[in-house]
Amino acid sequence: MTLLQQRGNNGLQGFSSFTSSMPKSHRETGIVTKTMGSYGFISCCERNESIFFHFSQYNGDPNEIQPGDEVEFEVTTDASKGKLIARRVVCLPPGTVSFESLSEERLLGKVEQEPLLVRNYSAFGGRRASTSQDEPDLGIGRIVYEAKGECFFVSYGFTDINDDREIHTGDEVSFYMAQNKRTGALSARLVRLVQEAKVNKTRGIIKSLKDSFGFIERADIVQDIFFHYSEVDHGEDTKLILGASVEFVIQNRQGKHVACQIKVLPHGSVSFDIIGEDQFEGVIKAPVIRSFTHGRGKVCEASEGKIIYDPVIGSSVLSYTERDQLGSYTMCVGDLVSFRIATDRRDGSTRATKVSLIKLVEEQNKTRERGIIAALRDGFGFIRCAKRDCRMFFHVNEVIDSEAQLSTSTEVEFTVQSDYTNEREHAVRIALLPALTVQFEILHKELLTGTVKEELPTDISRSRPNVLRIQNESPCGLLEYVYSDKEEFIPFYWSTESVQFGDKVQFQIANRSYDGLVYAVNIKILHKGHSLRFKGVVSVLKEGFGFIETEEHDCEIFFPFSSCNKYCDPKDLKLLDEVEFGLVKKNGRLSADEIRKLEPGSVRRETVQPEAYEGVIVRPMKSSDSSDEYEGLIKPVLDIPLVGGECIPYSFTSISDHKILLQTGETVNFQLGYNELSGTYRAVNITNKKELMRGTVERIKDQFGFINYKDDNGETISVFFHKNSMSDGCEFSELSSGDEVQFKTMFSQRSQKDSAIYVKKTTTPQGRPERLRHGSTKGSSALVTVVRQPKGPDGSIGFM
């Protein structure tokens, strides 16, 4: 026994003892709706009021009374406030109190209107995402019954149905009449089905779907009928779609016919047409336009398509709708199609149906493009275009072959069209192609041979990249090759083999489809570059590095002293030493490697002509940090028959005196050297015609000094010299201030000033040394003290 039942039984016992001792009066029933600290409120069953009561008037433990308890009480008036209050409150067993009184017998009636059940249900399956309510919203139905020759209406709801069977409009039912004791309103309770109504069910096909309603095209007449989603008899797997076959009952609501009690039938159960067996061919005159909402909010309605065909009876035009087309792909004016003729059972009209594409028309200003499906989703995907640097969106229903199995890497052909809704481009009229049809690059079959001039960056993967993602500024290597007797260069963006500078390779040329980018592919190494050896002459030696002039005299190659450790000691290298070396490229810079010292005469020399010539420097030779051409140029003063009036090149090994840096405008003497291999001449044994100059050492520092001399205008000029600039046989330590020297001047690239070279001491300063001079200078007031007086031969005072 529950606590509430126990309290009810205890209440009855208390009620019998309590009521036996009080005078008989009218008592009412109700339900406790609210309790506070020492009082509460009771909702009355017999009157539409809620009245106050104090716990002192409750026959029982006040701590046990709770909202929802059923009670009996007397109603009296509060003398102080004049309001109704309850007294002598007694708790009743559950189910004792009722706000309604039921009729003794069941009544008969007919359902005039069913309760409206508004479910949170979407036309495309499942509940709407915009609501979190799980329970349906219950409406009110209506039953009509007859009493004493008159018709009356009484309301009921879904909770009032006491039958496992469904009750619909027109059904005969039995019920109890319930009257609300407080308001007097009548309602039907415990409604049961007595006899189902005979209703005519109609079939049709879903024609359109909106947010919460749609329209059905009726199969009995050429007319559409409205329906609400709440009228759909939906199961777990039921989904409303366009073209679905349905069965429904027609009801009149507010003066309009609507479809009710809708049941979804198997696909194809409803058909309006008699379809002929003959197959016809025709041309699209106007394609079907689907309804859509423009980006600016304008709604464009759907329109039928038109097909021109030529049967035996003559040329004619047939209409067709979207559902008559086999496949949802886009059709264009001029497409050749096949179709059958359908006759509508309802009115005898004809139209084209089962329309399928035979041949695509060549659309004006539009070319068919190709690509490979790169991604597939639920109903759409993306195509990697062969002639565009992009991926093109497409709907799966645009594939012409509806039974085709699509996958990533499927090759397709398509037309690019702007979307009506947002004007973005997408792929339509998609046709499948055989494998290996689509090419993202055009590969030339000719095999070429070249040399690696620039290596790929070390962080570039050896795997083949996406060709469409290669940009002109993407990191790449460089190959040099000869084609049609011309030296050419071509980039490469990947190589399966680890190619290095100087490697001799074989490759093919490829052109990207959409922009014609040219690059090398299929690179194979024929000969490793590090095994190639070159010869040259040491032209520069610094602290830790140097430069080698190549045997062809066309450039200088940098080398660090670390590259000499394998075959020679860098301390043994001197200027003009002949060496052999390999080539490497580190950090983007070309340098000599594995340097080996050779015997004199190993490097090929030119045949020197005996005649001497005079010329002027018109372009000085490149220094190691310059960006100009390496070789310098000499313009002969007189035309030389062997070379004509052209300038003659020279290099570091052409200069007899390597301490002199020849400058533009200087006059030099030279001879011609003939290269038998190339058949060219260059200047050799070059000497400049600068005269020796004389000056005086101004001052000496640790490792350098300054010399004063007078120019042609008689002005005194100070020129810098270094201890390494001394002439042979003269030591820097022998020089002191005031020494007379002879020298030549050379322009310094670093300081952009003249400096002295070939410094040679000629004379020492004239007169007594400074340290031995005593006395005072003119104008000085200093006293001279005689330490020892002079004496003559005879002992007398001398100098008298």
Side-chain angles (χ1 to χ4, degrees), residues 373 375-377 379-381 394-412 430-432:
I373 295 179
L376 277 174
R377 301 289 186 270
F380 66 95
F394 74 95
H395 285 286
V396 174
N397 57 16
E398 285 292 346
V399 179
I400 295 175
D401 185 0
S402 59
E403 297 182 357
Q405 297 295 324
L406 299 181
S407 64
T408 55
S409 75
T410 299
E411 300 184 20
V412 293
I430 301 171
L432 273 62

Side-chain angles (χ1 to χ4, degrees), residues 171-242:
D171 290 347
E172 186 176 351
V173 294
S174 66
F175 60 93
Y176 285 101
M177 182 71 72
Q179 183 177 19
N180 193 304
K181 298 177 182 179
R182 306 171 68 183
T183 62
L186 299 177
S187 301
R189 298 288 186 261
L190 303 176
V191 181
R192 290 184 180 180
L193 178 64
V194 176
Q195 181 67 45
E196 291 184 356
K198 293 182 179 180
V199 294
N200 295 324
K201 293 186 177 181
T202 307
R203 291 189 172 190
I205 294 176
I206 300 294
K207 185 176 182 179
S208 64
L209 292 171
K210 302 298 182 181
D211 184 35
S212 60
F213 63 93
F215 288 88
I216 301 172
E217 186 175 0
R218 294 172 58 174
D220 53 345
I221 59 175
V222 182
Q223 189 178 28
D224 298 339
I225 187 169
F226 171 89
F227 75 94
H228 193 272
Y229 292 161
S230 61
E231 295 291 346
V232 179
D233 180 16
H234 62 88
E236 292 295 330
D237 300 327
T238 300
K239 291 184 180 180
L240 289 182
I241 58 174
L242 291 175

Side-chain angles (χ1 to χ4, degrees), residues 111-123:
V111 176
E112 176 71 15
Q113 178 179 320
E114 298 178 33
L116 180 61
L117 175 61
V118 182
R119 298 180 182 272
N120 298 316
Y121 180 71
S122 170

Side-chain angles (χ1 to χ4, degrees), residues 109-115 140-145 152-154 156 167-173 251-253:
K110 181 183 289 187
V111 176
E112 176 71 15
Q113 178 179 320
E114 298 178 33
I140 300 299
R142 189 169 57 180
I143 297 174
V144 60
Y145 70 99
F152 298 92
F153 294 93
V154 62
Y156 78 103
I167 298 177
H168 299 294
T169 301
D171 290 347
E172 186 176 351
V173 294
Q251 292 184 4
N252 190 330
R253 292 183 179 176

Side-chain angles (χ1 to χ4, degrees), residues 389-442:
D389 187 14
C390 67
R391 299 202 311 173
M392 189 70 63
F393 173 86
F394 74 95
H395 285 286
V396 174
N397 57 16
E398 285 292 346
V399 179
I400 295 175
D401 185 0
S402 59
E403 297 182 357
Q405 297 295 324
L406 299 181
S407 64
T408 55
S409 75
T410 299
E411 300 184 20
V412 293
E413 187 179 56
F414 56 92
T415 301
V416 177
Q417 178 175 292
S418 295
D419 195 340
Y420 297 112
T421 57
N422 53 21
E423 298 182 356
R424 72 172 181 177
E425 290 185 330
H426 64 289
V428 298
R429 301 155 66 81
I430 301 171
L432 273 62
L433 296 175
L436 304 179
T437 303
V438 179
Q439 293 183 349
F440 293 97
E441 58 187 12
I442 301 172

Side-chain angles (χ1 to χ4, degrees), residues 441 448 451-457 465 470-481 488-495 499 505 507-512 516-523:
E441 58 187 12
L448 300 175
T451 306
V452 178
K453 286 298 181 183
E454 296 284 346
E455 298 179 14
L456 282 172
I470 295 176
Q471 305 296 328
N472 289 327
E473 61 274 9
S474 297
C476 65
L478 193 66
L479 300 181
E480 181 185 21
Y481 68 103
E488 304 283 352
F489 293 91
I490 186 171
F492 65 98
Y493 297 93
W494 75 94
S495 174
V499 295
V505 296
F507 64 94
Q508 291 177 277
I509 294 178
N511 292 73
R512 189 159 60 183
L517 178 67
V518 180
Y519 47 91
V521 296
N522 301 332
I523 300 172

